[in-house]
Amino acid sequence: MFLLPSGRDSCFLSHYNCLHGLLKPSLFSSTDCQVPPQCLYLCSRQSWAMKTWFAKKAILDSPLEAAMAFPHLQQPSFLLASLKADSINKPFPQRCQDLVKVIEDFPAKELHTIFPWLVENIFGSLDGVLLGWNLRCLQGRVSPVEYSIAMEFLDPGGPMMKLVYKLQAEDYKFDFPVSYLPGPVKASIQECVLPDSPLYHNKVQFTPAGGLGLNLALNPFEYYIFFFALSLITQKPLPVSLHVRTSDCAYFILVDRYLSWFLPTEGSVPPPLSSSPGGASPSPPPRTPAMPFASYGLHHTSLLKRHISHQTSVNADPASHEIWRSETLLQVFVEMWLHHYSLEMYQKMQSPHAKESFTPTEEHVLVVRLLLKHLHAFANSLKPEQASPSAHSHATSPLEEFKRAAVPRFVQQKLYLFLQHCFGHWPLDASFRAVLEMWLSYLQPWRYAPDKQPPGSDSQPRCVSEKWAPFVQENLLMYTKLFVGFLNRALRTDLVSPKHALMVFRVAKVFAQPNLAEMIQKGEQLFLEPELVIPHRQHRLFTAPTFTGSFLSPWPPAVTDASFKVKSHVYSLEGQDCKYTPMFGPEARTLVLRLAQLITQAKHTAKSISDQCVESPAGYSFLSWLGFGPTDTNGSYPANDLDEMGQDSVRKTDEYLEKALEYLRQIFRLSDAQLRQFTLALGTTQDENGKKQLPDCIVGEDGLILTPLGRYQIINGLRRFEIEYQGDPELQPIRSYEIASLVRALFRLSSAINHRFAGQMVALCSRDDFLGSFCRYHLTEPGVASRHLLSPVGQTQVAGHARGPRLSLRFLGSYRTLLSLLLAFFVASLFCIGPLPCALLLALGYILYASAMTLLTERGKLHQP
């Protein structure tokens, strides 16, 4: 048992009673009962001693437990120091358990000082140095205990969100540095220009010095969501060696939970958790101007603010007091994940010398795709009577109006610039599949409608309903310009790869859905039709349509209104001086025809590689290296995914490309004659086995000129010119299978012999008997008179330079020759044959072989015409 020192008992007891209110306040404030600093320190740091001295029970040995035992005794700095110490010394489950108790027991006055540290401790620092709980790598199958505890703590209905609402009720503000905001937003605020998003209105705090040290004053909910969203961007990318499935990570699943909670597809947003029975967290106070700003664009006010001030009947709806959380969540996600490129920045990025300001990761793109899929489900959860244009004029709940406004107001423009950057700057590899699927998910809102039809078979895809025509028209650039951008990417990729072939197949399949191409074409016609001069409408070109009314009308001007909406969409995303390339125009059709030609070429190339792999057994290259088979000194097809995946990969590639070609034929109404022309043109450049194909080129005045298709074929290794060395064989570059020093030594030796015995060798080769033929077989170059220049246009015979008989010893510098000799000596030793007899036997065997070849060569010459 712990006993207090006798000299301090009375003092300690009196001051303990004072601090607990057992003595009168007058005594507590009198000079006779001042609390000495050492006693206050003793009370705060050793409260376990008081518990033992009074209750004679459990001993409290933790600073945090002391703070929790008497929360109203502790100073805020001590609570924060205790939590920081425990974050280092205690295991993760115990820390979370203590945090839950702190959130329950402590008042908001003490909790608001630990809130910024706790948020940073969970999500990591904004500079990426601190990882926090590393939610992006936390998986249930790897760390089930930590995963379960973290998900329960950070759940929308969990302790952390309860802390947020507890602080929200007291109207606390927290500073967030502007320097960590996305580039366009940061630049705008630093130039004292208010961003167009209402998320930043009335929140910017200027320092007396001016532009340096800017902060946003955020409420607890905004501060928490800001950190949560930015942790995806600010943290360092996951190492390539760490194979983490993004959809299984805690961060990805938390995003899904927050979206389902605050953007519900059924019912309304759940009310915030109250910190006390019967209590509720009030909504943030109305946004009021704090200081003058120069601004650009439209200043959209909060949906809640507009409804409360103008729609008195909506106030009875509880959701009207909580729509700000849904609005804030969506705006923060869109701003932090998508708003990294402005229209001006996008136009500058078209320059090939421009440097990228922000490069998204594959994980980032997958999370954005999750957001888009949920937004489509959220927007499509409106009932038919609520989604109809006539419903806009009636009083609706804020949540219903938010569903209609979420995508066009908050997402469309920023997503378009984000996709444009990805299409133009993403590497030409298989990782682009993530960007592709994000794009295709946005283009197909009907897949996430509650009344969606079950997916049909590949041969009979479901027809896209006409009710989606307004969405297609209001997102025309998403369909047309990005499709042209994808064509340009596909023309620069290796379509022999199954992964690239799959991407072409996916895009073609989506755009080939019945009635979709017709709706896109109708949207282009509306944009390209002559514009009527209506002066009072000119100022609306850059404005978004209001969400309390509709441009649609049953009267004849409806066509003009639809045309105006399409033009407004295009001009707001690209600017009024944009150059629009129609998807069904001649330029895009030319790209489609080139892609169809490449698809046909890739199919034949894949088949050629497959045939080559089948004809080459596993040990063929090894036998060739030993010298028992022919060698290809000019190389072969380069490595490809087909080499690793085998015949199944060839089958998949052929299937993807065949279906993609059929879908392109349906979308752009290509004739069968055009497709057959590609196949016939391909066959004219092939040899008898279809492997050695020349690149696509045309004959000019100065010789052959490669076409863009031919350059693509050479770069990707699909075709090549056959290049053969036609110089002096003794002077050709040393090969990888030769010993460089030995080759040079043998060259000097053979050169000395040839110089010394040149006359004798000429005399021997001039003889007409067998000895002359034998010497000619070894001392002259075979086929020197039949050499010619290889040209795709024609083959021109070239008279070779007359070289006299000479001896060549270069073959002895080959690893293959030396290994063959060593192997022969080793086999001979197994039969008890010594090196000298073995050498004699090898010489005798070679003489017999050379004599036979001499006779065959001479006989062949006699039968030549």
Side-chain angles (χ1 to χ4, degrees), residues 786-809:
S786 61
R787 291 200 172 182
H788 52 77
L789 289 177
L790 298 178
S791 171
V793 181
Q795 295 183 349
T796 306
Q797 201 78 11
V798 178
H801 177 70
R803 300 188 184 99
R806 58 180 178 173
L807 178 66
S808 176
L809 301 176

Side-chain angles (χ1 to χ4, degrees), residues 85-98 146 149:
D86 289 346
S87 67
I88 300 175
N89 301 323
K90 286 189 176 182
F92 181 75
Q94 183 62 39
R95 295 195 323 244
C96 290
Q97 185 179 357
D98 291 343
E146 290 79 1
I149 294 175

Side-chain angles (χ1 to χ4, degrees), residues 610 613 641-651:
S610 174
C613 294
D641 291 347
L642 298 174
D643 302 333
E644 301 176 0
M645 302 181 65
Q647 294 300 309
D648 185 59
S649 173
V650 176
R651 180 187 59 80

Side-chain angles (χ1 to χ4, degrees), residues 492-522:
R492 293 179 289 152
T493 56
D494 180 11
L495 298 184
V496 180
S497 168
K499 296 176 181 179
H500 292 153
L502 175 60
M503 287 190 280
V504 175
F505 162 74
R506 288 283 296 122
V507 173
K509 181 180 179 181
V510 168
F511 279 84
Q513 295 176 84
N515 200 35
L516 179 58
E518 288 77 5
M519 288 192 291
I520 296 175
Q521 200 164 8
K522 175 63 175 177

Side-chain angles (χ1 to χ4, degrees), residues 44 47 60 62-72 74 78-79 82-83 86 90 94 97-106:
S44 61
S47 59
L60 305 177
S62 168
L64 181 58
E65 291 177 352
M68 293 167 58
F70 304 99
H72 52 286
Q74 309 308 321
F78 170 64
L79 176 61
S82 301
L83 291 174
D86 289 346
K90 286 189 176 182
Q94 183 62 39
Q97 185 179 357
D98 291 343
L99 285 173
V100 173
K101 294 179 181 179
V102 168
I103 294 172
E104 290 287 343
D105 297 342
F106 278 77

Side-chain angles (χ1 to χ4, degrees), residues 232 245-247 252 255-256 259 333 337-338 361-377 411 415 418-419 432-444 447-448 506 510:
L232 178 67
R245 185 179 175 87
T246 302
S247 58
F252 188 90
V255 171
D256 185 54
L259 290 173
F333 282 179
W337 295 344
L338 296 179
T361 62
E362 189 173 352
E363 178 191 17
H364 178 189
V365 171
L366 292 175
V367 174
V368 173
R369 186 191 179 209
L370 174 65
L371 171 65
L372 297 179
K373 292 167 64 176
H374 189 88
L375 280 177
H376 277 322
V411 179
L415 176 64
F418 183 83
L419 285 171
F432 186 73
R433 174 78 187 278
V435 178
L436 190 78
E437 294 299 337
M438 175 182 66
W439 172 50
L440 297 181
S441 294
Y442 182 81
L443 297 185
Q444 303 177 85
R447 292 184 56 192
Y448 311 101
R506 288 283 296 122
V510 168

